[in-house]
Amino acid sequence: MGKELGRLLNACVLVVVTASIALAVNSPHVGMLDCTGCHYDLYNLEQTATGLDNLCVRCHNPAVMATGFGPRALANPFGSTVMGGYTSALLQTSHNWAAANRVPAAGAAAVSPSSPLYNIASTAPRYGIVTGATLAETGLINCASCHDQHGNSRTNPKLLRLTTAGDRLCFECHGARNRQSQLDGTHPVNVAYSSAVERQPQKYHAPPLNANPANPLSDLGARLAADGKLLCSTCHGVHYADSRSANYVNGFKNISSGDGNLLRTDPRGRKVAAGEPDALNICTNCHAGKANHNGAGQDIQCLDCHAAHVDFDPQDPTGAEGTNVYLIRRNLPGNASRIFFRYTGCRREYVNDEGTGVCQACHTPPPSIPDHASSDPRVCNNCHSHTNANGSFTAAMPSHDADLGADDVIVFSNDTVDHGAGFSMTENCTLCHDANLVRQHKSNCSLCHGGANPPAAPLIGQWNKGCAQASCHPAIHAAMGANHNGIYWDSSASCDLCHDGVGGFPGSGDNCSRCHEPGYTAAAVGDHQPPTTTADARTEVPYVGPTVIHLAATDAGAGVSVTFFYNEYHHRFEIGNDVYYSAPTTGAKSHTLQFYSIDHAMNVEPVKSVTFAIQAAADTTPPTTTCSAVAGKVYSGSQLFTLTATDIGWGVASTWYRLDSGSFATGTTVPVASPASGSASHTIEWYSLDKANNREATRSVTFTVAAVPAPDTIPPATIASFAPAANALVNANQTVTLVAADNAGGSGVKATFYKVDAGAFVAGTSFTIAGEGLHSFSYYSVDNAGNSEALHTANTFRIDTIPPLTICTVAAGAAYTGPQTFTLAATDGSGSGVASTLYKLDDGPWTVGSAIAVSPPAAGSAAHTVQWYAIDNAGNREAVQSASFVIVTPAIVSGTTTISFRTNASFGGWAYVTWEVHDANGTIVKDVNGNDCSWWNDDPAHPSSMWKDYVVPAGVAYTLYGAWGPMPDGPDSDTGLRTVTPGEAAPGATITWWWY
């Protein structure tokens, strides 16, 4: 911590370099901190800007500031981030800052090249000082993807890179969620909530309700946009969002662990008993008129069947199987069964032939109700409605309560001794019967509604609330008379069963409760033992084809009254002794028959069961077993592999396996321990047996388990094939190859990035630098653990591929008289500069220089050829140029010529005059006495002394030069030239030049 604070508080040279930059913004990172809080030099950060423990989290954590959060706060509901050592006590209350920017389950796609975030570097090189990988280059988000660490906190307190109005910043990544119809598989956003309320006021709360009015942060109505639109941010937070309304966050206080979905309120309300009003959840905060599926206390709430986003199915990533409408999940939580609900209207998939309808995920509709054979959603909605106030889709039948009155009940029809023509009594029907026919018939709807011509058919709409209408119970109590006759009449002490002798016959103790109330029945008949029921089902060998299981009950006391069995087709207990089972169309199916009996003394036998199988035909096919281990794969750390056996016949009896050379053991999971170091090869062998004793052929798979490597904290190292020296010169385009390697035992190189000159970083390992002028390049690599190599920047070098150009003063084909000196002038434009110029005369050697002296022959003329070229500092050589010419020896002329300078001396008496005679090469000529023909007059008082004569050789060309000025050391006020041809300079001639 001392080092951290030292870097945060102490200034360094970098602060001086960037002082003007620091003063240009008002950022919490500039002023509060100096640059060395994050950077240790101009091009490198103290710590990586990406990953769980990145540079930002180093300060923004609770150990340093009250508003901080650590890696455990990172929301990772889709497992898109490897959490490393952070696997417990997770909070998941802050948007992920260490994940790929493409997470389909989160609706996050790669950032578009047109996005303002596309080329933002992770270290934001705003001021040309620091470089870093961009979101486009790495595909990874980090804190700087959304926040500008060098931004102006006065105008942008949260340092956001884009406005959050209309969730603009969110949609740069989560653009797939910016949809206005649930048919796209995601909750509509950017829609006016008030418009929805206006269209269907019965379906929405206006304003939305708050599950905890004491918590303003869970008030979704306050989170609508300024124009009243529903946004992603209405329901989701970014930081400090724990999906709970009960925890009033109060700034950054009282935050608790969340579910990673960053909701502002409860995804589920508290559980309530059946019949109680539902507690609010995040859906019913806004949506009205919908109750939980809780009619029987199931506590199935909105987000158990629905989700806010169902646009991505990991089993169908391309969406070829369609998208569920009404935001129905593909899988219910904890249920592996897939659900398809892709249509609206009459094609709604409550039930479908494939068994993937939404209701079929949890329910098997009882076939005893004829309507359950229909997959028409309109038929389903006759009884099951989403708007049922007793619970969504709770069955809502018409009243089945009968109007029971009193009746004359014949008890003993054949008692002519004690009761005359037979004994009857008037009694209220409710003594023995339940007025609710559903309960009375134990929910066996088929008793009235089953069959081709059900008894209830003629009653629909005209039931008189009785029991003897139409074909229902046309003769009541007939069985009761026979029952009493057979059990109680004409038996010893039969009278005492009903009469106690008190008060005569009948007496005060005479009532039906003697036999029909459990508290009296056993004592009345002296029978305390229940009957015993057996089934003739065989359990060892399956039945073939349709089968009837027979139940036989015996009772040593009052006798068997009734036998019940559980009808697995109707999902209820029914009366009967013969139980019919159909055969499967293929393979075999296991059944468990439950049964019990009751005697006339109301003694109830405990429920018994027997399990057996029925197959379509004899089973000769062995089972098939698969293993979750993948052949040839290298696994890291200890593993637990699963064996899954299936059988199309009688069913799987057992699965056997062995690891390596061990013994075979029964089981379906195979643990494989990690080696302490290195790796170890393993082989699993397995087979299964079915109930027909068919054995599967032994199968095997070989794989490798490696020890869990130590965390990789070392970045890779990259070497470039071209490493120029400072200011190096090259005369060709340069192809650079980058070779990256990770440390031994590391996570491996993930990607290499480079940029040329001031361009953007791109991924790649080979590139060519072309074009004249100065160049440089930078590069670095990242490994699979997220370690980023320090940036390498090559020395600046120059590419010069254009040779210099040289011009010679010789004119090709010209004839020159007398000795000549030609000059070479080489230039290299914007290149590396001329290094040297070379020439050769005729067959002479190549000579470095820029002046070529050529002498005339002794007499006559001589032809010559001069060649030349130049070389620049990059080694580019100019093509050899040449020119041919002739040198003529001047004719020997004897005698002399006089050159006479004259002036009118009218220069105001203060003129200073200069005279000179030059030859063809511009050299001052010497007269016949060997003196320079050059004169300067410094006696303006005697202007006649300004006249001057020179005697020079005849037959030579001359150039006369004159100048005058007011001061001897001042600049010339005027100059003049006169050319004298060899013909003018004839022997004995005088050439006079009057110059004014």
Side-chain angles (χ1 to χ4, degrees):
M1 181 61 74
K3 178 182 177 183
E4 302 290 339
L5 294 177
R7 290 199 181 275
L8 293 173
L9 300 176
N10 294 329
C12 69
V13 175
L14 182 60
V15 178
V16 177
V17 174
T18 60
S20 60
I21 298 173
L23 294 175
V25 296
N26 178 43
S27 169
H29 301 110
V30 179
M32 284 181 60
L33 310 175
D34 59 50
C35 298
T36 54
C38 299
H39 304 274
Y40 67 80
D41 63 27
L42 289 178
Y43 297 97
N44 296 281
L45 294 170
E46 279 284 356
Q47 185 173 335
T48 179
T50 60
L52 283 172
D53 293 301
N54 64 34
L55 180 63
C56 301
V57 179
R58 186 181 68 173
C59 292
H60 292 272
N61 70 76
V64 177
M65 58 178 63
T67 59
F69 42 82
R72 286 185 170 83
L74 180 143
N76 193 27
F78 308 112
S80 55
T81 298
V82 177
M83 297 299 292
Y86 301 104
T87 58
S88 61
L90 299 179
L91 296 176
Q92 297 204 88
T93 54
S94 187
H95 190 290
N96 196 312
W97 62 80
N101 72 322
R102 185 181 184 278
V103 181
V111 175
S112 167
S114 62
S115 169
L117 305 183
Y118 186 74
N119 281 316
I120 290 178
S122 59
T123 49
R126 168 179 292 190
Y127 307 110
I129 295 176
V130 181
T131 59
T134 67
L135 182 61
E137 295 161 0
T138 65
L140 299 174
I141 63 171
N142 54 71
C143 301
S145 299
C146 297
H147 298 281
D148 181 357
Q149 65 271 35
H150 297 135
N152 190 327
S153 61
R154 288 178 178 170
T155 58
N156 184 6
K158 295 183 179 179
L159 304 181
L160 296 174
R161 293 196 180 276
L162 294 175
T163 177
T164 57
D167 285 353
R168 163 75 189 286
L169 180 58
C170 303
F171 289 143
E172 289 300 311
C173 292
H174 300 276
R177 296 285 163 80
N178 187 10
R179 298 291 184 269
Q180 286 69 56
S181 171
Q182 53 86 14
L183 295 178
D184 293 322
T186 184
H187 194 291
V189 294
N190 269 319
V191 293
Y193 185 78
S194 59
S195 298
V197 173
E198 183 178 349
R199 288 194 305 271
Q200 296 177 308
Q202 76 282 5
K203 290 189 175 183
Y204 298 94
H205 296 297
L209 304 180
N210 187 353
N212 180 11
N215 182 3
L217 301 182
S218 61
D219 183 0
L220 302 187
R223 296 291 176 174
L224 297 173
D227 57 1
K229 287 185 177 180
L230 178 75
L231 302 173
C232 298
S233 56
T234 301
C235 296
H236 294 280
V238 179
H239 297 296
Y240 317 106
D242 58 5
S243 302
R244 301 182 189 210
S245 67
N247 294 330
Y248 176 28
V249 178
N250 190 23
F252 306 114
K253 299 177 181 178
N254 304 326
I255 194 72
S256 62
S257 60
D259 57 7
N261 291 314
L262 305 179
L263 299 176
R264 298 188 183 278
T265 188
D266 311 293
R268 291 176 59 85
R270 61 178 176 81
K271 181 177 181 180
V272 299
E276 291 187 12
D278 294 333
L280 288 174
N281 60 44
I282 194 169
C283 300
T284 56
N285 286 159
C286 295
H287 294 273
K290 301 292 177 67
N292 290 337
H293 187 46
N294 196 40
Q298 306 100 308
D299 192 34
I300 303 300
Q301 301 194 24
C302 304
L303 290 183
D304 290 322
C305 296
H306 301 273
H309 313 289
V310 298
D311 48 344
F312 176 72
D313 179 359
Q315 298 186 57
D316 179 28
T318 64
E321 296 178 284
T323 300
N324 283 357
V325 298
Y326 300 121
L327 302 180
I328 298 293
R329 293 180 181 272
R330 271 288 204 260
N331 301 90
L332 300 193
N335 191 326
S337 300
R338 298 187 77 195
I339 296 172
F340 289 95
F341 200 86
R342 297 159 292 190
Y343 313 109
T344 60
C346 63
R347 297 183 65 192
R348 284 169 292 164
E349 295 174 281
Y350 294 128
V351 176
N352 58 31
D353 294 338
E354 292 78 21
T356 59
V358 63
C359 298
Q360 292 168 299
C362 298
H363 302 283
T364 301
S368 60
I369 300 176
D371 282 355
H372 286 168
S374 174
S375 60
D376 188 336
R378 295 167 294 187
V379 174
C380 299
N381 288 148
N382 287 336
C383 293
H384 303 276
S385 169
H386 203 339
T387 56
N388 190 333
N390 295 323
S392 287
F393 297 106
T394 295
M397 299 180 294
S399 173
H400 280 58
D401 290 343
D403 293 333
L404 299 182
D407 199 1
D408 183 35
V409 181
I410 300 175
V411 181
F412 293 107
S413 61
N414 62 352
D415 179 11
T416 59
V417 177
D418 296 316
H419 301 107
F423 174 66
S424 68
M425 57 181 291
T426 299
E427 184 57 75
N428 192 306
C429 299
T430 57
L431 176 67
C432 299
H433 303 288
D434 193 321
N436 183 275
L437 300 191
V438 177
R439 292 193 297 269
Q440 176 64 39
H441 294 122
K442 302 185 185 304
S443 300
N444 186 355
C445 302
S446 63
L447 291 177
C448 295
H449 300 280
N453 185 26
L459 305 182
I460 301 302
Q462 53 186 0
W463 181 38
N464 62 11
K465 299 293 184 178
C467 298
Q469 188 177 0
S471 60
C472 292
H473 308 293
I476 61 175
H477 303 132
M480 188 192 71
N483 189 38
H484 284 85
N485 291 335
I487 299 174
Y488 303 116
W489 171 243
D490 200 21
S491 62
S492 62
S494 61
C495 296
D496 293 337
L497 296 178
C498 296
H499 304 287
D500 61 1
V502 179
F505 296 95
S508 60
D510 305 334
N511 58 69
C512 296
S513 63
R514 284 286 184 90
C515 296
H516 297 284
E517 286 292 333
Y520 296 95
T521 302
V525 300
D527 181 5
H528 299 276
Q529 298 300 319
T532 301
T533 311
T534 60
D536 66 353
R538 68 186 187 213
T539 58
E540 297 81 8
V541 179
Y543 294 93
V544 178
T547 302
V548 176
I549 305 299
H550 301 283
L551 301 175
T554 59
D555 186 70
V560 177
S561 174
V562 67
T563 297
F564 291 90
F565 69 91
Y566 187 79
N567 188 325
E568 65 181 39
Y569 301 108
H570 298 167
H571 304 284
R572 62 175 176 267
F573 277 97
E574 298 180 350
I575 298 173
N577 295 84
D578 294 324
V579 187
Y580 172 81
Y581 290 91
S582 61
T585 56
T586 59
K589 183 176 181 181
S590 178
H591 300 272
T592 297
L593 173 61
Q594 296 176 283
F595 54 90
Y596 69 94
S597 296
I598 303 174
D599 64 14
H600 290 296
M602 301 300 290
N603 295 303
V604 181
E605 177 185 18
V607 176
K608 296 179 178 179
S609 65
V610 62
T611 300
F612 54 93
I614 302 175
Q615 68 172 32
D619 183 3
T620 60
T621 304
T624 301
T625 312
T626 59
C627 181
S628 60
V630 178
K633 183 174 180 178
V634 178
Y635 294 90
S636 178
S638 298
Q639 302 293 315
L640 184 66
F641 299 107
T642 303
L643 300 172
T644 304
T646 57
D647 187 69
I648 63 173
W650 298 358
V652 177
S654 60
T655 299
W656 298 78
Y657 73 89
R658 73 173 180 179
L659 179 63
D660 301 328
S661 59
S663 301
F664 275 97
T666 184
T668 57
T669 57
V670 186
V672 181
S674 171
S677 61
S679 62
S681 177
H682 295 281
T683 298
I684 299 175
E685 298 176 85
W686 71 88
Y687 65 88
S688 292
L689 297 171
D690 64 14
K691 293 179 180 178
N693 207 32
N694 296 304
R695 173 175 168 161
E696 175 186 15
T698 301
R699 305 173 67 184
S700 66
V701 63
T702 299
F703 53 89
T704 300
V705 175
V708 177
D712 181 6
T713 61
I714 301 174
T718 309
I719 298 175
S721 61
F722 175 54
N727 301 314
L729 298 171
V730 294
N731 57 13
N733 296 336
Q734 297 298 307
T735 296
V736 182
T737 300
L738 303 175
V739 178
D742 204 15
N743 57 296
S747 57
V749 176
K750 179 178 182 180
T752 298
F753 301 93
Y754 71 87
K755 75 168 185 176
V756 176
D757 300 331
F761 274 97
V762 295
T765 57
S766 181
F767 54 94
T768 298
I769 305 173
E772 301 291 304
L774 295 174
H775 296 282
S776 182
F777 60 93
S778 303
Y779 57 93
Y780 70 95
S781 295
V782 179
D783 64 18
N784 288 301
N787 298 304
S788 180
E789 177 183 15
L791 186 69
H792 298 280
T793 299
N795 289 320
T796 299
F797 63 97
R798 180 184 293 276
I799 294 179
D800 180 4
T801 62
I802 301 174
L805 177 64
T806 309
I807 297 174
C808 183
T809 56
V810 68
Y816 295 92
T817 301
Q820 301 293 318
T821 299
F822 304 109
T823 57
L824 300 171
T827 58
D828 196 40
S830 61
S832 56
V834 177
S836 58
T837 303
L838 293 92
Y839 70 88
K840 76 173 182 175
L841 183 64
D842 300 328
D843 295 326
W846 286 101
T847 303
V848 175
S850 58
I852 308 170
V854 184
S855 300
S861 63
H864 296 280
T865 297
V866 63
Q867 301 178 69
W868 69 89
Y869 66 88
I871 301 173
D872 65 18
N873 288 307
N876 297 299
R877 174 174 167 167
E878 179 184 14
V880 175
Q881 300 186 68
S882 65
S884 297
F885 57 93
V886 174
I887 293 289
V888 179
T889 300
I892 299 175
V893 179
S894 61
T896 61
T897 298
T898 300
I899 295 176
S900 178
F901 291 97
R902 295 289 187 270
T903 181
N904 61 7
S906 60
F907 297 112
W910 292 97
Y912 294 86
V913 181
T914 298
W915 306 109
E916 291 179 356
V917 180
H918 294 192
D919 62 15
N921 293 322
T923 304
I924 295 176
V925 175
K926 292 185 181 294
D927 63 11
V928 293
N929 295 318
N931 299 314
D932 288 341
C933 297
S934 173
W935 173 81
W936 172 58
N937 172 39
D938 57 357
D939 188 9
H942 300 84
S944 61
S945 64
M946 296 180 185
W947 296 6
K948 193 67 177 177
D949 295 329
Y950 297 103
V951 179
V952 296
V956 180
Y958 297 103
T959 299
L960 308 184
Y961 171 79
W964 70 273
M967 298 177 65
D969 296 324
D972 294 337
S973 294
D974 195 7
T975 59
L977 292 175
R978 171 140 170 9
T979 301
V980 178
T981 67
E984 288 181 277
T990 297
I991 298 169
T992 301
W993 182 32
W994 283 90
W995 183 71
Y996 300 94

